[in-house]
Amino acid sequence: MVGSGMGTPGVFGQAQFRILWAAAVTSIVGDQLARVALSLLVFARTGSAAATAGTYALTTIPALVSGVLLSGLADRWPRRSVMVTADAVRAVLVAAMAIPDVPLGVLAGLLVLVQLAEAPFAAAQGAVLPDLLGGRYEAGQTVMLITHQTCLVGGFAGGGLLASWLGPNVALAVDASTFAVSGALLRVGIGRYPVEAVAAAVRLRVELAGWLVRVGRGAGLVARDRRLRMLMSLGWLATFTVVPEGLAVVFTTQAGLGTGWVGVLLAAEPAGAVAGAVLLRLVPRTIRLRMLGVLAVGTSLPLLGYATAPGVAVALALLVVSRLCSAYQVSAASTFVQALGFARAGLIAGQGIGVAAGGVIAQAAGSATIAIAIALAGVAGTALAIAAAAGWARLVPARIADALPAEP
């Protein structure tokens, strides 16, 4: 075995972990390729900013349902079977999406089904890790998180170039093959990891009831605790800052850029977020809490620069700065852990609504004002961020820090 202890070499010395990791890399990169390809495909066929942004929103909103109703499948059948089946289902669905001239309504329905299949896969993968790694679980989880963020950057950047070169339909076919490869790797490379059999209907009722209880308790906590209300407000500002993602294809087309730049613009956002998270970890927690409001404003404020119809270099810089500041979301999430279910549900819904609303506004305003639509999202986000930041500053975060739970 290579290495030992909690270090990364020791984790990769586990053969089954290497297989799990390789499968994850394959499917995550393929997912980002599909996001770019779908946006290009829908915009090419409709010329509609609203339809393009709405399609992008469908890559996030189904998680509200699947996370509650489908993730429990990982506790009903062997974990390997769940992952392989989910990959097989997604391979077939994405292959169907790759067929030329599929009606847009059918394409949207297939996309929703693909996203629904993500939840049981992710739950089964997460359940395998502690059994597989034992005392090295934390190191393995860290590797998987870093891998996910890295693949977002590489998948978007490479996916934009590949989709531009091959065309959206062929790019979707490539994505279908990544799921097939992932499923094959898991089928031959890891154990079954069986679970105790429990009646599916009973477990589903328990899971749904438990989720509703957690969300209800979270909502109650937020209603009673001003700290949590302020933190939730700061967290949900992502509703506005996600708008450039849904309009990336339309923006590059309006700017006269090649389609390969779509992936580059999308990759700038996770790259900035990762860099911001790393930098913010170097700052003492009390100072990070004081900075939440300022960083929240800094996340939306750069989007105002889109009002000048910037070129690609300036647009990239604006997105990177915005995402660098968005690292405050990590600190905010670690402090409202008591209401995490409620916060996550609101965040997912807000991001989907924000992307779709941005597309509708851009469509209503006319194709020549896509940059203005993004700038308007920045104006709204900045105004609300300033209000939330002022409220947070009055709570004296330095004193609050002592009463908040420890960070993970």
Side-chain angles (χ1 to χ4, degrees), residues 28 138-151 274:
I28 294 169
E138 185 178 347
Q141 189 178 43
T142 299
V143 168
M144 296 299 278
L145 289 172
I146 293 173
T147 296
H148 181 81
Q149 293 298 326
T150 303
C151 287
V274 171

Side-chain angles (χ1 to χ4, degrees), residues 85-288:
T85 301
D87 272 341
V89 167
R90 290 185 289 181
V92 171
L93 292 172
V94 176
M97 293 167 65
I99 298 172
D101 300 321
V102 172
L104 290 180
V106 175
L107 195 67
L110 291 170
L111 177 58
V112 169
L113 293 176
V114 170
Q115 296 305 310
L116 291 177
E118 166 64 19
F121 180 93
Q125 183 189 70
V128 165
L129 277 176
D131 290 341
L132 175 62
L133 296 176
R136 290 173 293 177
Y137 168 66
E138 185 178 347
Q141 189 178 43
T142 299
V143 168
M144 296 299 278
L145 289 172
I146 293 173
T147 296
H148 181 81
Q149 293 298 326
T150 303
C151 287
L152 287 182
V153 178
F156 274 136
L161 295 173
L162 194 61
S164 177
W165 177 44
L166 298 176
N169 293 101
V170 177
L172 286 171
V174 172
D175 181 39
S177 72
T178 66
F179 287 121
V181 170
S182 172
L185 286 172
L186 295 170
R187 179 65 183 82
V188 302
I190 70 168
R192 292 180 69 246
Y193 292 94
V195 297
E196 182 181 352
V198 177
V202 173
R203 187 180 290 276
L204 176 59
R205 288 197 297 271
V206 170
E207 289 164 357
L208 179 57
W211 182 82
L212 290 173
V213 168
R214 289 194 300 274
V215 170
R217 286 176 179 171
L221 282 171
V222 170
R224 295 189 301 269
D225 192 323
R226 189 183 176 197
R227 297 174 305 168
L228 292 179
R229 288 200 301 275
M230 288 293 100
L231 285 166
M232 211 71 65
S233 299
L234 292 169
W236 287 353
L237 289 169
T239 296
F240 303 96
T241 56
V242 76
V243 170
E245 291 184 30
L247 295 177
V249 169
V250 190
F251 175 80
T252 55
T253 301
Q254 177 195 330
L257 301 170
T259 53
W261 282 103
V262 175
V264 177
L265 286 170
L266 291 172
E269 302 193 33
V274 171
V278 171
L279 292 173
L280 204 57
R281 277 308 269 194
L282 303 177
V283 179
R285 189 186 188 199
T286 298
I287 297 176
R288 292 205 304 271

